[in-house]
Amino acid sequence: SRAYSLVDSSQVSTFLISILLIVYGSFRSLNMDFENQDKEKDNSSAAGSFNGSSTNNSIQTIDSTQALFLPIGASVSLLVMFFFFDSVQVVFTICTAVLATIAFAFLLLPMCQYLTRPCSPQNKISFGCCGRFTAAELLSFSLSVMLVLIWVLTGHWLLMDALAMGLCVAMIAFVRLPSLKVSCLLLSGLLIYDVFWVFFSAYIFNSNVMVKVATQPADNPLDVLSRKLHLGPNVGRDVPRLSLPGKLVFPSSTGSHFSMLGIGDIVMPGLLLCFVLRYDNYKKQANSDSCGAPGPGNISGRMQKVSYFHCTLIGYFVGLLTATVASRIHRAAQPALLYLVPFTLLPLLTMAYLKGDLRRMWSEPFHSKSSSSRFLEV
């Protein structure tokens, strides 16, 4: 009951939305793998293979070097935002808005495909050097641009959350972790990064760098543009400052405060869950090809049926709940990855060891195989 009293409606909303984003992004990623496999089979007479890296040029696979240097790059970006925010805020706001527009269009694309399927052919419309797009893609992009414009004009937190959701899903779907080794390197480095900038940055910079950057609003580009062009004192001055979509925020039931969760605390564990979902699918296909060969003899059949995805997802929920309770007990911001990383990685490593998959998942979990893949509807 004590733990329940420390979690209000805003935290519950954060839990549900973050889990839904991770699940949806992971299945979109798996769906993209299936589509790429089907395209490879159509374009080549050779058998397609299910591997960790996709042939799609838009998909980025993180290697060990990138996993090690990503926390360093994030730290440099954080310091730039901390010291030079006034100088780069407009550029950063515009870049964020452009990325959020593309990401939210990706989030809306399945819905737009469903809506346009009965009344519009799937032929692509040419826009010259801009490329060729289907009616569903044009509709999703138009809706996304409209939402971003309304967000710029109003600065409403719901619109900011919608853009942040698009960014989460797009990053989970387009970024790949190729192995458990890279996953451990990335999440461990980001855990150290998160703990340092939340707990220890105040001793060096006399301010909590992470919290200040995450909560600092930026000038509205319309206001800046009106001042630069000298459009008059009343033009653009009534637009609000913008809280950038780098986080999810939900107001409490009393409206006295907002619950906040950075998108990095959703995306980085989400990449791990996306990896284990792809491995679950690969193992299922491998077992079906080998006529359902049983696992190690010391593991019960019930244990074998438990998927890595469900185990890791439950660990994410428990870690998020623990982080929330800790923040309410200590009445201070908590590095969410301090709780999320152990609660996701440790159960995964333990289950992989018990099932005998740890060595395979650690280095090269996906092997070339010639098996048909089934398209997954999301």
Side-chain angles (χ1 to χ4, degrees):
S1 61
R2 173 61 176 168
Y4 179 79
S5 66
L6 293 173
V7 181
D8 59 18
S9 59
S10 61
Q11 273 89 33
V12 173
S13 302
T14 305
F15 292 167
L16 295 178
I17 294 297
S18 61
I19 290 175
L20 287 175
L21 290 175
I22 288 177
V23 172
Y24 182 68
S26 299
F27 276 90
R28 286 290 298 271
S29 175
L30 186 63
N31 199 32
M32 291 169 61
D33 281 343
F34 288 158
E35 288 179 329
N36 291 331
Q37 282 183 276
D38 293 339
K39 289 179 181 178
E40 288 177 1
K41 290 179 181 180
D42 293 339
N43 296 333
S44 175
S45 58
S49 62
F50 188 95
N51 48 45
S53 59
S54 173
T55 57
N56 194 331
N57 293 329
S58 61
I59 295 177
Q60 175 66 40
T61 301
I62 298 178
D63 56 25
S64 300
T65 303
Q66 291 171 332
L68 288 173
F69 281 95
L70 185 60
I72 300 175
S75 298
V76 173
S77 301
L78 199 64
L79 285 175
V80 170
M81 292 296 295
F82 180 73
F83 287 111
F84 307 105
F85 185 79
D86 292 338
S87 302
V88 302
Q89 58 178 324
V90 176
V91 176
F92 190 75
T93 303
I94 295 174
C95 292
T96 303
V98 172
L99 292 176
T101 303
I102 299 171
F104 194 72
F106 175 76
L107 180 65
L108 293 178
L109 183 58
M111 181 192 70
C112 294
Q113 289 174 336
Y114 177 79
L115 293 176
T116 59
R117 188 179 300 171
C119 58
S120 174
Q122 295 301 313
N123 298 329
K124 292 189 175 183
I125 304 172
S126 176
F127 283 83
C129 60
C130 296
R132 299 170 60 86
F133 306 95
T134 63
E137 292 171 342
L138 294 175
L139 177 60
S140 64
F141 184 75
S142 301
L143 292 175
S144 181
V145 170
M146 186 183 305
L147 182 136
V148 170
L149 291 177
I150 298 174
W151 168 67
V152 171
L153 292 173
T154 64
H156 199 278
W157 65 269
L158 269 177
L159 302 179
M160 184 197 70
D161 279 359
L163 297 177
M165 292 175 194
L167 287 171
C168 289
V169 172
M171 292 175 70
I172 293 173
F174 284 100
V175 180
R176 298 284 192 274
L177 293 176
S179 65
L180 191 54
K181 174 185 175 181
V182 176
S183 303
C184 290
L185 287 175
L186 177 64
L187 291 176
S188 299
L190 289 173
L191 185 153
I192 298 173
Y193 155 86
D194 208 13
V195 169
F196 173 79
W197 289 111
V198 173
F199 283 156
F200 301 105
S201 60
Y203 296 105
I204 302 175
F205 303 99
N206 296 322
S207 177
N208 192 318
V209 175
M210 182 74 77
V211 173
K212 183 175 180 180
V213 171
T215 58
Q216 188 169 7
D219 287 340
N220 197 302
L222 295 180
D223 184 23
V224 176
L225 184 63
S226 66
R227 285 190 274 109
K228 293 292 184 181
L229 298 179
H230 305 287
L231 297 180
N234 297 324
V235 179
R237 298 303 172 88
D238 55 345
V239 293
R241 301 192 75 190
L242 297 176
S243 183
L244 300 181
K247 54 190 175 295
L248 292 179
V249 296
F250 291 94
S252 64
S253 56
T254 61
S256 58
H257 67 278
F258 278 80
S259 173
M260 183 176 66
L261 182 66
I263 63 172
D265 300 325
I266 302 174
V267 171
M268 295 309 163
L271 295 180
L272 178 65
L273 275 103
C274 179
F275 164 73
V276 297
L277 178 64
R278 290 163 51 232
Y279 183 79
D280 283 334
N281 177 74
Y282 162 78
K283 191 176 180 181
K284 182 179 179 181
Q285 291 182 357
N287 288 339
S288 63
D289 289 348
S290 60
C291 301
N298 59 335
I299 302 298
S300 65
R302 182 175 298 179
M303 180 69 175
Q304 286 291 339
K305 291 180 181 179
V306 178
S307 69
Y308 293 110
F309 180 77
H310 292 128
C311 172
T312 312
L313 186 62
I314 293 173
Y316 176 81
F317 175 79
V318 175
L320 195 59
L321 178 63
T322 306
T324 302
V325 172
S327 66
R328 296 297 293 273
I329 291 176
H330 298 288
R331 300 185 181 276
Q334 295 290 310
L337 292 180
L338 175 63
Y339 307 93
L340 295 176
V341 172
F343 276 102
T344 53
L345 273 184
L346 294 181
L348 173 60
L349 292 171
T350 302
M351 178 173 283
Y353 175 77
L354 293 176
K355 286 188 174 185
D357 294 332
L358 183 57
R359 180 174 298 179
R360 180 189 301 174
M361 294 178 69
W362 185 257
S363 54
E364 295 181 358
F366 306 108
H367 303 285
S368 298
K369 56 190 290 293
S370 57
S371 63
S372 62
S373 62
R374 180 169 54 89
F375 186 82
L376 181 64
E377 284 287 348
V378 178

